[in-house]
Amino acid sequence: MKNSFHNRTAEALKAADLTHHLHPFTDHRALAAEGGPRIITHGEGVYLWDTEGRRLLDGMGGLWCVNIGYGRKELGEVAHRQMDQLAFYNTFFKTSHEPVIELSERLAALTPEGINDFFYANSGSEANDTALRLVRGYWAAEGKPERQVIISREFAYHGSTVAGASLCGLPSMHDVPSLPIPGIVHADGPYAWHAGRDQHDPVYGVEAADAVETKILEVGPENVAAFIGEPVMGAGGVITPPPGYWARVQEICRKYDILLIVDEVICGFGRTGEWFGSHTYDIQPDIICMAKGMSSGYQPISAVGVGARVADALRGRAGVLPHGFTYSGHPVACAVALENIDIIEREGIVEHVRDTVGPCMGDRLGRLTAHPLVGEVRGVGGMWALDLTADKATRAPFDPLGSVATQVRNLCFERGLATRAVREGLVFSPPLIITEPQIDELAGILMSCLDDVAATL
Ligand code: PXG
């Protein structure tokens, strides 16, 4: 029954979708003109299948999240057992249950040193909203309620709730009147290709970090609550930090006594070749936000890991923390996250990313730097990007912006590779279990699409 759901044809499903389903980040007029969505029926390993029976190598791991790959029966079995035993109970009002307790213990062991307390939510956006409330609450309790401003960065992606979208540094996310909300400002992002600099230049690393200090001084350090950053910016285009960047950002945060929130929603759970991006870049966060790879997307779950400074202030204070979601610490989601973590550990997936996926993707995609359309290749572990250019010397994008990347992306889908276009680039974040031959397949399809699009220009 894999190609039909309740025995409906693909055409009937598409028509119903067009009539009743509003999609995230979708141009609905264009979708209707194309006759409806691609309907995915099932997944196995790094591959997906659609209602046309076509196989796709999932170069995006769902949406930067299916770290252990599709079709892992263990997660379904764990979910089934947990639903039978306790499908739901809340964690409000001094209540708890075994899966959330065990998961908290596990996360304390895996996350960067000093992060030992966990608050749960259902999505990355909610985790970041939670972090924002926690840091502002912290400063108010410290008698410094004026410390409210959160410094984010240009090109950042932190979510789609009102606060999450405000934290984003992508102009398209502020396309709704009154965003960003007050108290959120953006420093320049460390995007070497865009700035006309070398991604491996340590001088640029320090200069890019100094943009954070510039913003702090503009706002007034006494008004700043926290800085938030992804170790590697994901949705903004896999923007890797230049050398020395994070060391300098941390120095600046310490200098002005500003809390450091690290958004590990994409980077966490092996994506960078360590358990967390904070390990890869030697970051000591006060707070970390995680989601996506936490359950490999098998259940919606996210968490905010809190370091002693903020946690002690919370625990030491009388009064209720006025924050939480019905499904904070959902028992089924927690049980599934635990099994996902077990699989990552048991199968050495983090080491596989560090020793095989990272070097192999770096090599195969790195070779594309010589391609006439490719300006820069960058990435780490299991997250990579190509920036395309009309002119390698000036780094000019094509006109209109994104037109060529979109053509390459569309051709990749036709040839069996799922990828995402970002500005004039393409991003990759496959399931972390991807093998060398599958990386060859990915790079081969990509190369053929680049060649064929280049030939039409
Ligand atoms: N932080 C980061 C770093 C993210 O990448 C979020 C927070 C928000 O998570 P939720 O679960 O609320 O979506 C994200 C999400 C894309 C794309 O097109 C990326 C994300 C979400 C949707 C699309 O690259 N990242």
Side-chain angles (χ1 to χ4, degrees), residues 24-25 60 63-64 122-128 156-161 230-236 263-267 289 291-292 301-302 420-422 427:
F25 291 88
M60 283 308 297
L63 209 41
W64 318 82
N122 311 285
S123 67
S125 303
E126 289 171 345
N128 285 328
Y157 189 89
H158 295 296
S160 213
T161 51
E230 304 152 80
V232 178
M233 291 185 181
D263 181 344
E264 294 265 11
V265 166
I266 285 179
C267 293
C289 298
K292 295 192 189 268
I301 183 168
S302 66
R420 244 209 11 82
V422 176
V427 292

Side-chain angles (χ1 to χ4, degrees), residues 128-447:
N128 285 328
D129 277 37
T130 299
L132 197 143
R133 289 190 75 174
L134 288 180
V135 297
R136 287 180 173 165
Y138 166 82
W139 284 115
E142 293 290 289
K144 295 182 178 168
E146 67 284 0
R147 276 201 182 253
Q148 291 210 7
V149 175
I150 314 289
I151 298 185
S152 181
R153 298 176 295 175
E154 195 188 3
F155 307 113
Y157 189 89
H158 295 296
S160 213
T161 51
V162 169
S166 297
L167 290 168
C168 290
L170 302 163
S172 59
M173 294 300 293
H174 301 158
D175 226 13
V176 182
S178 77
L179 291 188
I181 53 173
I184 293 176
V185 299
H186 301 84
D188 290 346
Y191 188 3
W193 170 255
H194 191 259
R197 304 294 293 269
D198 172 357
Q199 60 169 316
H200 302 297
D201 178 7
V203 175
Y204 176 62
V206 172
E207 280 180 32
D210 283 344
V212 176
E213 185 169 36
T214 304
K215 189 53 75 174
I216 291 170
L217 295 173
E218 194 185 302
V219 173
E222 69 285 2
N223 299 316
V224 180
F227 169 79
I228 183 167
E230 304 152 80
V232 178
M233 291 185 181
V238 187
I239 301 170
T240 46
Y245 177 82
W246 275 109
R248 178 81 185 121
V249 165
Q250 293 184 89
E251 216 174 272
I252 293 165
C253 287
R254 280 193 294 270
K255 178 172 169 190
Y256 298 103
D257 198 22
I258 287 166
L259 295 170
L260 174 57
I261 305 169
V262 177
D263 181 344
E264 294 265 11
V265 166
I266 285 179
C267 293
F269 301 92
R271 181 62 56 192
T272 64
E274 301 281 348
W275 273 95
F276 287 90
S278 292
H279 296 125
T280 302
Y281 297 102
D282 196 16
I283 307 171
Q284 284 90 44
D286 292 296
I287 288 188
I288 74 174
C289 298
M290 64 195 90
K292 295 192 189 268
M294 184 174 178
S295 65
S296 286
Y298 280 67
Q299 283 283 287
I301 183 168
S302 66
V304 181
V306 184
R309 183 171 174 185
V310 175
D312 289 351
L314 276 174
R315 288 190 196 287
R317 195 169 82 206
V320 169
L321 173 69
H323 183 67
F325 307 100
T326 302
Y327 300 136
S328 285
H330 191 290
V332 178
C334 288
V336 167
L338 274 167
E339 183 64 23
N340 170 61
I341 291 168
D342 275 350
I343 289 174
I344 296 176
E345 262 179 9
R346 206 163 57 227
E347 299 183 1
I349 291 174
V350 178
E351 295 75 15
H352 174 66
V353 176
R354 187 189 61 208
D355 300 336
T356 304
V357 177
C360 186
M361 286 190 78
D363 174 66
R364 305 304 191 278
L365 297 180
R367 290 182 204 175
L368 298 174
T369 312
H371 194 279
L373 292 184
V374 177
E376 180 173 273
V377 176
R378 60 179 176 270
V380 61
M383 56 195 299
W384 290 84
L386 264 61
D387 257 309
L388 307 185
T389 181
D391 180 342
K392 291 197 187 217
T394 63
R395 303 188 179 187
F398 290 93
D399 185 26
L401 178 72
S403 51
V404 173
T406 304
Q407 280 182 64
V408 176
R409 192 268 322 267
N410 291 344
L411 199 54
C412 282
F413 267 92
E414 273 176 40
R415 293 184 182 171
L417 171 63
T419 171
R420 244 209 11 82
V422 176
R423 277 184 306 280
E424 198 66 271
L426 294 154
V427 292
F428 297 91
S429 169
L432 299 178
I433 52 158
I434 193 168
T435 61
E436 277 202 57
Q438 290 165 341
I439 293 171
D440 285 332
E441 183 188 345
L442 183 156
I445 296 174
L446 177 59
M447 177 70 142

